[in-house]
Amino acid sequence: MKTAEIRRRFLDHFTAAGHTLVPSASLVYNDPTLLFVNAGMVPFKSYFTGAEDAPYDTATSCQKCVRTLDIEEVGKTTRHGTFFQMNGNFSFGDYFKEGAIQHAWKLVTGSVGDGGLGFDPDKVWVTVLGPGHHPDFPEGDAEAVALWRSVGLPDERIQRRDLKDNYWNMGVPGPGGPCSEIYIDRGPAYGPEGGPVVDEDRFLEIWNLVFMQQELSAVRAKDDFDVLRPLPKPNIDTGMGLERVAYLMQGKDNMYEIDQIFPVIEKAAELSGKRYGANHDDDVRMRVVADHVRSGLMLMTDGVTPGNEARGYVLRRLLRRSVRAMRLLGVHDPVLPELLPISKGLMEESYPEVTSEWARVSASAYAEEESFRRTLASGTQIFDVAVRNAKAAGQTTLAGDQAFQLHDTYGFPIDLTLEMASEAGLEVDRAEFTRLMGEQKARAKADARAKKGGAVNTEAYRQLREAGETPFLGFTDLTVPSRVRGIVRDGAVVPSAQPGDVVEVVLAETPFYAEAGGQDADAGVLTAPGLALDVLDVQRPVQGLVVHKVLVNEGELTAGAEVLAQVDAAARLGACQAHTATHIVNAALRQLLGDTTHQAGSYNKPGYLRFDFNATAGLSTDAKAELEGIVNQAVRGNFAVTDREMPLDEAKALGAQAMFGEKYGNVVRMVELNGAWSRELCGGTHVGSTAQIGLVNLLGEGSIGSGIRRVEALVSGDAFSRFAAERALVGTLADTLKTQPDQLVDRVEKLLAQLKSAEKEIADLRTQQLLGNLDALAASATDVGAVKLVARAMPGVGGGDLRTLAMGLRDKLSSQPAVVALVGGEAKPVVIVATTDAARAAGAKAGQLVDVAAAQLGGKGGGKDDLAQGGGSDAAGTDAALAAIRDALAG
């Protein structure tokens, strides 16, 4: 049974049982504690924590997931994959343990003809929470045991385990509860008898049923937590690993051989001339390729582009690991154009967006491979220097910190370094490399824990939210009489606040726009007789609740007080102008660059906007001018700006643009400019027509990461002020250069040509002067070891002149075993070493000598045996650099 068919059967099973089918969220789902969605329940987390009301009682989904903490294990085990799919069914206060167990049993053991998966009931085992592990469960999860017996599972195949195995929580205060895991016995060929407690390779877990029934007040570890109270409505969260079920049902030994992955392995084998199954190391590399190519495809489809930070870095690592694995298989030509289309064809049945985003995804992937090929070339040079230094020092081992630098800075995986080192006759200090890698992983995990632990405590907001949502009246009214529903200080509801206090206020209704969708929060005041508050910020910490951060300037603020909420009208107009201009920039870029361009982020505030978008190359000067022209043409066109609410599917069918990773409800607000000219899903505030923007002045366009560009612009009065300042600057330059403004370019070009000619004349004179001293410098050579050495500091002499001088001296001394070592430089020190034929025959090599000298300058060097150059950042090390060369020659 194909993987897509297993997915369809799962979803059909639960939709037939009345569950709402929820499409997979983007892998870059908007959760500040996660880089990627890593579990099927993530899109439903706010429903389980109570931060949002679930829009349905029951739901089912097949969620795309990515986990990379165990990336080094990919290909080595049967079930470690970076991208995987999690089937799940969810209940929000509807059915509980009995329903979850009955649904699962029916699907797992139901006949294939009736829509089930057809597993033999005699091969099914389950685990539950056993007795004696927590005071709230003195007898363990006896209810789950009884329910499993009721569907026909004998007690000997119901195993009891501890909290670490069979209790679930998020690692922070919030919901938790016991869980029950379903295993399939693969048979004696895969391990010993005894069930999952004995061997989890033979007995493979396929499904985890989580019974959320408690609210935890503190979580110190998976098996160490405090229970605050029972949940008012117990919930169900389950996760079935689709790939695991697929390889069981397809009769495979591991997930890499299922129908959605194995064809990539077959192509990798074809390209490399290797046979899958013939060599363990080659098999691991092919599995890595297949897994990482699929993961990269799915991440890029969801808007991630390769980069050096966060999500972009993870994607870059996946793509580069796949490329280098192919190199280790002997393939040095570009491979992604061969492999990625295969993965696309395998995944598009389940995820049609793979096809619709293909042009953008493939361009980004192929550009990344080409970039990595260049990186490999430069990294190989660094590796060669490290090997040369190790051999010169008589070492047989490459230092672990050098291997780690190659990995961390140049993207060299350790196995590639090991292979290259072996070819050079060296070993690698694996222990030191492993220690440094461990430290890096510990830092990454600590950062992840910090983000997780830093999740906002929403208890106070949830308490205030129980009285209802905060109606936002700011689309039509900027001044609204309202009432203080609650006051929050330091995460707790308080009755009052005094002058000088900064607190958070929840109003019965508000005209203030809470920061969202790239638009800055409104500013303004809350007033009443004897009371004055400045609104500093406005946020929505939980669904439907608007929270105003305020400074109490005058009077005592009390809960229940009547206030007048007044938005700063001028600032709001500026925000509307900037936000609508952002939509125009988005539409203009798509006109200019094509529909494969997508928004990657934005920010706008009164007078200013920035807009991030995906692109593999920057805009030319002409393209930037054209972009600004299209934008201002739309402004002058006085396009009507309208909005309407509609079902999400209808908005997408109309071509409305949406942000990758943004969470949208079933009903969305679509903002249109001149009808179909621009359509975006947006909850922000806008001007009534584009002419109200006045003017947009493009500040610039540049890269903010691999594959991501940023446009910045000024809007309205700020744009006009900049144009006025530029006009004044042009006038000043024209007066200074005594020419007309329209002749400035010609005048400056002539001046630059004259300056360049003068600089060349000066450089030629300086070179002649330096070369005129060759005889005197050559005569200063001293005997050091077996060679004559000219070692001089030449402060202020640039690298080019220094090189000319060194080669001239070498020619003067060409009949002798001579070494020339010069240290000069302008902003930073530069060292040049040149050797004669006789000196090289005596063992003096310029590249090695430059290395030891550059180290004293705080830098590195490189080059050939006859001529080499290095540099650094510490000119104070000049004397030490020259001394190091003398010592090297004397030794």
Side-chain angles (χ1 to χ4, degrees):
M1 187 180 294
K2 288 189 175 182
T3 306
E5 172 65 11
I6 299 169
R7 175 182 182 270
R8 185 191 63 76
R9 284 174 177 258
F10 184 96
L11 298 176
D12 285 352
H13 175 79
F14 284 101
T15 54
H19 292 59
T20 298
L21 177 60
V22 179
S24 174
S26 167
L27 285 165
V28 292
Y29 183 76
N30 190 17
D31 185 324
T33 67
L34 297 171
L35 274 182
F36 305 111
V37 171
N38 62 1
M41 62 80 62
V42 168
F44 305 100
K45 188 166 70 172
S46 59
Y47 306 150
F48 289 128
T49 62
E52 295 184 51
D53 296 330
Y56 25 68
D57 294 329
T58 60
T60 186
S61 70
C62 180
Q63 176 60 48
K64 299 176 288 187
C65 302
V66 164
R67 294 179 188 169
T68 57
L69 281 179
D70 296 324
I71 192 171
E72 302 295 342
E73 298 304 311
V74 170
K76 300 175 184 176
T77 70
T78 60
R79 54 182 183 258
H80 275 101
T82 51
F83 172 83
F84 59 96
Q85 300 158 86
M86 190 64 73
N87 290 331
N89 60 288
F90 309 91
S91 169
F92 309 100
D94 192 78
Y95 62 82
F96 195 45
K97 293 181 186 178
E98 181 177 9
I101 288 172
Q102 289 178 350
H103 281 309
W105 182 257
K106 182 179 178 182
L107 178 61
V108 170
T109 63
S111 71
V112 172
D114 291 334
L117 298 180
F119 283 105
D120 182 350
D122 293 337
K123 295 185 180 298
V124 178
W125 293 64
V126 300
T127 60
V128 299
L129 181 65
H133 297 296
H134 197 275
D136 281 72
F137 297 95
E139 298 179 7
D141 196 350
E143 181 184 4
V145 172
L147 289 168
W148 281 117
R149 287 174 178 156
S150 72
V151 299
L153 197 64
D155 193 68
E156 60 267 21
R157 284 192 270 122
I158 305 172
Q159 297 192 317
R160 284 72 166 173
R161 306 185 85 167
D162 60 18
L163 293 166
K164 287 184 178 180
D165 290 307
N166 280 86
Y167 192 93
W168 178 91
N169 62 68
M170 295 193 301
V172 294
C179 60
S180 183
E181 296 169 323
I182 301 174
Y183 293 78
I184 302 297
D185 182 1
R186 303 170 70 192
Y190 293 92
E193 300 279 354
V197 297
V198 173
D199 190 325
E200 289 198 8
D201 282 327
R202 170 175 172 173
F203 300 89
L204 186 71
E205 179 196 344
I206 62 166
W207 202 347
N208 187 15
L209 314 180
V210 177
F211 311 129
M212 293 188 196
Q213 61 187 84
Q214 298 167 314
E215 184 169 352
L216 310 185
S217 59
V219 179
R220 291 169 292 276
K222 199 171 188 304
D223 58 346
D224 183 12
F225 50 83
D226 297 330
V227 176
L228 180 64
R229 55 177 170 256
L231 287 175
K233 290 183 179 180
N235 303 313
I236 289 295
D237 158 32
T238 85
M240 171 193 273
L242 179 56
E243 282 77 10
R244 290 193 183 188
V245 176
Y247 78 76
L248 286 177
M249 297 193 70
Q250 293 173 16
K252 305 300 182 182
D253 289 337
N254 60 69
M255 65 169 286
Y256 311 104
E257 296 176 12
I258 66 173
D259 62 298
Q260 284 189 344
I261 302 177
F262 191 66
V264 179
I265 289 180
E266 291 180 309
K267 187 64 176 179
E270 176 190 328
L271 292 173
S272 63
K274 309 279 188 179
R275 184 173 65 83
Y276 182 73
N279 178 278
H280 173 73
D281 290 342
D282 288 344
D283 288 352
V284 169
R285 288 163 184 160
M286 290 184 211
R287 292 171 189 164
V288 166
V289 169
D291 172 86
H292 288 7
V293 165
R294 184 171 78 142
S295 300
L297 169 71
M298 301 309 292
L299 285 171
M300 288 185 289
T301 296
D302 279 356
V304 184
T305 55
N308 292 325
E309 296 181 357
R311 295 178 176 122
Y313 177 75
V314 173
L315 172 60
R316 169 163 285 170
R317 189 179 179 203
L318 290 169
L319 293 177
R320 292 188 172 193
R321 275 174 57 91
S322 62
V323 172
R324 62 88 180 170
M326 291 299 293
R327 288 177 68 92
L328 293 176
L329 288 166
V331 183
H332 293 268
D333 293 330
V335 295
L336 290 183
E338 300 283 348
L339 301 172
L340 201 65
I342 296 175
S343 192
K344 166 187 171 288
L346 298 171
M347 299 304 295
E348 59 191 355
E349 179 180 352
S350 296
Y351 304 100
E353 61 268 27
V354 170
T355 300
S356 61
E357 299 296 329
W358 174 247
R360 174 183 57 82
V361 167
S362 57
S364 179
Y366 302 160
E368 177 61 21
E369 179 171 16
E370 185 56 37
S371 173
F372 185 43
R373 287 166 63 83
R374 293 192 298 268
T375 295
L376 281 173
S378 59
T380 300
Q381 293 178 353
I382 303 300
F383 173 84
D384 290 343
V385 170
V387 168
R388 188 167 64 240
N389 289 344
K391 289 185 174 180
Q395 299 170 350
T396 59
T397 300
L398 191 67
D401 60 344
Q402 291 177 316
F404 180 75
Q405 181 194 23
L406 284 165
H407 165 84
D408 199 46
T409 305
Y410 295 97
F412 266 53
I414 183 60
D415 46 4
L416 183 60
T417 302
L418 286 170
E419 183 159 315
M420 292 171 64
S422 176
E423 290 172 355
L426 295 176
E427 296 182 348
V428 176
D429 187 346
R430 285 297 302 271
E432 176 67 4
F433 174 85
T434 302
R435 184 186 70 79
L436 292 169
M437 282 294 295
E439 290 179 357
Q440 185 185 64
K441 287 183 178 179
R443 287 193 297 270
K445 289 181 178 179
D447 182 59
R449 284 195 299 269
K451 288 181 178 178
K452 190 183 218 180
V456 176
N457 185 348
T458 61
E459 178 61 32
Y461 307 126
R462 288 163 56 192
Q463 180 180 333
L464 293 171
R465 172 66 177 77
E466 290 174 1
E469 296 187 358
T470 310
F472 173 63
L473 309 181
F475 284 132
T476 56
D477 300 300
L478 299 185
T479 300
V480 173
S482 192
R483 176 179 55 83
V484 176
R485 189 197 293 177
I487 305 169
V488 178
R489 179 194 288 121
D490 299 327
V493 177
V494 296
S496 62
Q498 306 302 318
D501 289 347
V502 175
V503 294
E504 294 174 309
V505 172
V506 175
L507 299 176
E509 55 274 315
T510 183
F512 284 89
Y513 181 80
E515 180 182 357
Q519 180 176 335
D520 219 351
D522 278 335
V525 294
L526 304 180
T527 60
L531 181 67
L533 315 173
D534 283 339
V535 177
L536 308 176
D537 191 16
V538 191
Q539 298 291 331
R540 291 180 185 265
V542 298
Q543 179 196 31
L545 195 72
V546 177
V547 176
H548 311 72
K549 184 178 182 181
V550 302
L551 168 64
V552 183
N553 283 321
E554 179 184 339
E556 181 184 23
L557 174 67
T558 58
E562 301 291 332
V563 297
L564 187 66
Q566 297 175 283
V567 174
D568 183 327
R572 166 64 80 80
L573 174 60
C576 291
Q577 291 169 325
H579 198 158
T580 304
T582 304
H583 284 223
I584 296 174
V585 168
N586 189 6
L589 279 167
R590 289 173 67 81
Q591 280 189 32
L592 201 60
L593 303 178
D595 290 343
T596 59
T597 295
H598 286 278
Q599 180 176 349
S602 67
Y603 173 70
N604 49 80
K605 64 179 182 178
Y608 169 84
L609 71 85
R610 69 169 183 248
F611 184 84
D612 301 338
F613 61 101
N614 66 291
T616 55
L619 299 180
S620 66
T621 300
D622 288 345
K624 283 185 271 190
E626 187 176 356
L627 172 64
E628 190 174 58
I630 295 172
V631 169
N632 282 294
Q633 186 177 13
V635 170
R636 293 192 303 274
N638 197 24
F639 294 165
V641 181
T642 58
D643 64 86
R644 48 182 168 145
E645 292 189 345
M646 63 181 64
L648 177 60
D649 290 343
E650 183 180 336
K652 287 185 175 180
L654 288 170
Q657 298 299 302
M659 267 287 291
F660 282 116
E662 193 65 37
K663 182 178 180 181
Y664 297 101
N666 293 326
V667 177
V668 295
R669 178 172 179 255
M670 183 176 73
V671 175
E672 295 179 300
L673 278 61
N674 198 32
W677 192 85
S678 167
R679 284 177 172 151
E680 292 192 40
L681 303 186
C682 179
T685 63
H686 292 272
V687 293
S689 67
T690 58
Q692 292 177 263
I693 297 170
L695 186 66
V696 177
N697 180 202
L698 187 65
L699 291 174
E701 181 270 346
S703 172
I704 60 168
S706 179
I708 299 293
R709 311 288 299 182
R710 171 171 291 171
V711 167
E712 294 182 273
L714 296 179
V715 180
S716 190
D718 293 75
F720 179 82
S721 296
R722 183 168 185 260
F723 276 130
E726 289 175 341
R727 182 176 62 185
L729 177 61
V730 169
T732 299
L733 287 173
D735 289 344
T736 301
L737 298 177
K738 295 180 173 53
T739 189
Q740 294 300 311
D742 60 354
Q743 296 174 353
L744 264 178
V745 173
D746 288 341
R747 179 70 172 134
V748 170
E749 286 179 347
K750 288 179 181 178
L751 287 173
L752 288 174
Q754 292 171 4
L755 178 61
K756 186 176 181 179
S757 176
E759 287 176 341
K760 185 178 184 305
E761 288 182 16
I762 293 170
D764 290 344
L765 289 171
R766 185 169 58 226
T767 300
Q768 292 173 15
Q769 183 180 21
L770 288 170
L771 294 176
N773 293 327
L774 285 180
D775 290 338
L777 288 170
S780 69
T782 58
D783 292 323
V784 179
V787 303
K788 293 278 189 180
L789 173 65
V790 176
R792 296 291 293 270
M794 312 287 289
V797 178
D801 289 338
L802 207 64
R803 194 179 185 93
T804 300
L805 185 58
M807 290 190 292
L809 279 170
R810 181 181 61 184
D811 291 343
K812 282 281 184 182
L813 299 167
S814 59
S815 62
Q816 308 173 59
V819 174
V820 179
L822 306 177
V823 179
E826 295 166 318
K828 292 183 178 180
V830 175
V831 56
I832 303 286
V833 176
T835 59
T836 63
D837 292 341
R840 291 193 294 279
K845 298 181 179 180
Q848 293 177 359
L849 294 173
V850 156
D851 284 342
V852 298
Q856 303 301 319
L857 301 172
K860 296 179 179 179
K864 298 180 180 180
D865 291 346
D866 62 331
L867 184 67
Q869 179 173 331
S873 57
D874 185 10
T878 296
D879 291 342
L882 295 172
I885 290 175
R886 290 191 186 94
D887 293 343
L889 292 171

